[in-house]
Amino acid sequence: MGLEDLAREAVEGAVANAKVDLKKIDAVFVASKASGSFNNQRHINALVSSFFSHNPPATRIEGACASGGLALIAAEQSLLSKENQTVLVLGVEKMTDVDGVGATSILSTAASTQLEGGSTFPGLYALLAQAHQLEFKTSREILSAVSVKNHRHALTNPLAQYHKEFTLKQVSNSALVADPLRLLDCSPVSDGASAVILTTKNIKNKAQIIGAGHGQDSLDLAHRKSLTELAATKRAAKKAFASSDLTPNKIEAAEVHDCFTIAEILAIEDLGFFPKGGGGKATLEGKTERRSKLVVNGSGGLKAFGHPVGATGVKQVSYLAEQIEKGECGLALAHNVGGSGATAVVHILSK
Amino acid sequence: MINPAKYWRNAKQTKLYLGRKGTVVVVTYIRSAGMDHQSSTPYSFAVVELADGEKVELTGVGHEKLEVGDKIECVLRKIPPNDGAGLIEYIIKAKKI
């Protein structure tokens, strides 16, 4: 499937699932990190608007791998301002139109090209992993446990990119990509699209977004105050919890941005689920597994569900909304990160 | 991919770092890179704290494997040309001392 096929399938699926008249869509927000580079197709707001006979106003949003989360934030602001009543948010990325080296090059432009030349995303997260290891003795086993868990979780997700279990040993012995990160610490190159419809109208039996937050930090790692936390995540979480009047211990399911295994450890600490330095121990003890009080990345996460970069933030919210509607959980949180942590978006959903 | 105008702008920064010394704060060894750097793999990539406290991110020279705490000096190194213009680009890299 090409970029347009993926986008169209997601839009048609969301419209059918929501049982909304297409003409009731007041506006469209499209998230894509790099369709111009991956597929030589820019101006995709117009491309997606043309799926609708009434050509609703459409805007494309880019914030690296947080594009999806940011598109949701923009859509929500348009609803809260009463500019719109019903909007569609689409995230889409078709990454396999280029080879692996090409994809690495395109993705690396989300780092500071001026200050981080020669870096790769596995490389930048490897630096964060090492900082965490130095301060909290985060072991190889902890990183591997994240990957093993998320691959296991994906087995029950029919939409996941991988339905394959790995052992701790297999993850720990996979090829080094950027020390200490190995191949099975890294989320894959993915093709995918996800769409959700947001409305201010009262609809029965559908999940609600009850809180949202957006945080930023310096684009390059060298100017961060700390390399053992993502301050943008903390800022986004603080706003999201304040706006929903909730605390982290109330969340039952969280989809967090595990682009690399260390990123899940950072996320569950920075979101306030576990104390700083305690995320690894909690993971090893199974406290983030399915059937625990807090399920982290029940979908398989970016690691196994897949990471079509611009679509991921929308996909997380779509997955959680579906879990809520099925009665699997009551309160859920989605955490979407751009780059090595310069942008973060947190959403809180409820019944 | 660099072009002459961008290279000219960046080159003005080079003299600000050439010869400065620092210490490796965190470092990785990149074994798979994008198009501009794939032919240089594997190479070190580090956050370095310079003597005055400024932190910068630098690649190591050649295939040298840097470690946390290593003392380094900022040196000028040529990177392989990869564009049709044949522009030879020099950048600041970290060399262990």
Side-chain angles (χ1 to χ4, degrees):
Chain A
M1 289 175 88
L3 176 77
E4 188 175 338
D5 304 321
L6 290 168
R8 199 179 281 278
E9 185 175 297
V11 169
E12 287 173 357
V15 169
N17 177 272
K19 298 183 178 62
V20 169
D21 177 2
L22 276 180
K23 290 212 165 91
K24 299 285 184 194
I25 305 280
D26 299 321
V28 175
F29 294 83
V30 183
S32 168
K33 174 169 170 172
S35 66
S37 303
F38 284 122
N39 322 106
N40 207 25
Q41 178 65 66
R42 292 182 170 80
H43 206 179
I44 65 168
N45 59 317
L47 179 79
V48 178
S49 178
S50 67
F51 295 172
F52 303 82
S53 60
H54 66 302
N55 290 106
T59 308
R60 180 261 178 110
I61 312 275
E62 190 269 318
C65 302
S67 300
L70 291 178
L72 285 162
I73 293 276
E76 291 151 11
Q77 287 168 350
S78 86
L79 295 173
L80 292 170
S81 72
K82 299 189 168 51
E83 172 76 13
N84 299 311
Q85 273 200 309
T86 302
V87 299
L88 183 138
V89 184
L90 167 73
V92 61
E93 210 78 61
K94 169 74 186 174
M95 300 171 73
T96 60
D97 277 355
V98 299
D99 64 15
V101 172
T104 303
S105 292
I106 293 166
L107 294 171
S108 72
T109 60
S112 169
T113 53
Q114 194 73 22
L115 301 176
E116 300 181 301
S119 69
T120 61
F121 272 97
L124 294 171
Y125 276 91
L127 297 178
L128 295 172
Q130 191 185 58
H132 207 274
Q133 288 179 329
L134 289 170
E135 194 162 337
F136 304 112
K137 297 186 169 52
T138 307
S139 64
R140 176 67 252 169
E141 192 186 5
I142 287 170
L143 298 179
S144 297
V146 172
S147 182
V148 168
K149 169 185 68 75
N150 290 348
H151 273 281
R152 189 184 308 129
H153 284 176
L155 293 175
T156 55
N157 178 0
L159 294 176
Q161 184 171 353
Y162 294 108
H163 294 112
K164 182 173 169 60
E165 273 198 272
F166 290 100
T167 62
L168 285 173
K169 198 174 167 187
Q170 282 173 310
V171 179
S172 301
N173 291 337
S174 61
L176 279 162
V177 175
D179 310 20
L181 297 183
R182 294 172 179 272
L183 186 65
L184 290 173
D185 287 308
C186 308
S187 57
V189 166
S190 309
D191 295 339
S194 182
V196 295
I197 291 169
L198 306 182
T199 183
T200 47
K201 293 173 189 166
N202 195 7
I203 309 279
K204 278 185 185 168
N205 304 320
K206 290 286 179 189
Q208 297 181 69
I209 292 175
I210 58 166
H214 167 196
Q216 300 282 165
D217 199 359
S218 82
L219 179 57
D220 66 308
L221 287 185
H223 286 90
R224 305 260 174 97
K225 280 190 182 153
S226 167
L227 293 179
T228 56
E229 66 176 34
L230 296 189
T233 294
K234 292 179 111 172
R235 289 171 185 144
K238 192 176 173 188
K239 283 184 202 167
F241 282 119
S243 61
S244 59
D245 206 18
L246 286 172
T247 49
N249 62 349
K250 302 286 184 201
I251 301 296
E252 298 157 57
E255 288 292 305
V256 307
H257 199 96
D258 62 320
C259 48
F260 299 93
T261 48
I262 185 62
E264 178 165 317
I265 302 297
L266 289 169
I268 59 178
E269 294 171 354
D270 296 336
L271 291 165
F273 296 137
F274 300 101
K276 184 49 71 180
K281 184 169 173 276
T283 302
L284 282 182
E285 290 172 352
K287 289 183 177 167
T288 55
E289 296 261 359
R290 184 170 288 131
R291 285 183 290 279
S292 60
K293 187 172 162 279
L294 168 72
V295 185
V296 177
N297 283 329
S299 71
L302 282 58
K303 177 70 199 80
F305 190 176
H307 185 27
V309 286
T312 286
V314 183
K315 177 195 76 171
Q316 293 172 322
V317 167
S318 163
Y319 174 82
L320 290 172
E322 203 172 69
Q323 297 306 302
I324 288 170
E325 286 156 23
K326 284 181 186 168
E328 296 287 330
C329 58
L331 285 169
L333 178 146
H335 164 249
N336 186 206
V337 170
S340 59
T343 301
V345 178
V346 172
H347 278 95
I348 298 175
L349 288 84
S350 79
K351 282 180 194 166
Chain B
M1 192 77 70
I2 194 140
N3 61 55
K6 190 174 174 188
Y7 184 45
W8 177 248
R9 288 198 303 273
N10 291 352
K12 292 172 188 167
Q13 294 290 316
T14 303
K15 64 183 177 192
L16 301 177
Y17 292 97
L18 194 58
R20 288 171 73 180
K21 294 183 174 67
T23 307
V24 173
V25 179
V26 281
V27 62
T28 181
Y29 201 53
I30 292 180
R31 294 155 192 273
S32 179
M35 276 177 276
D36 288 359
H37 298 272
Q38 182 64 9
S39 64
S40 304
T41 56
Y43 58 88
S44 295
F45 184 82
V47 173
V48 169
E49 184 167 357
L50 299 173
D52 66 354
E54 181 183 357
K55 286 184 184 162
V56 291
E57 289 167 63
L58 297 171
T59 55
V61 298
H63 302 304
E64 186 170 70
K65 202 167 186 183
L66 296 173
E67 290 180 10
V68 173
D70 279 349
K71 304 292 177 195
I72 63 94
E73 181 177 4
C74 294
V75 297
L76 207 56
R77 284 292 183 275
K78 185 169 69 174
I79 62 170
N82 69 346
D83 60 358
L87 186 71
I88 296 170
E89 187 185 359
Y90 286 82
I91 62 167
I92 293 288
K93 291 193 178 187
K95 185 178 181 357
K96 195 170 167 178
I97 49 175

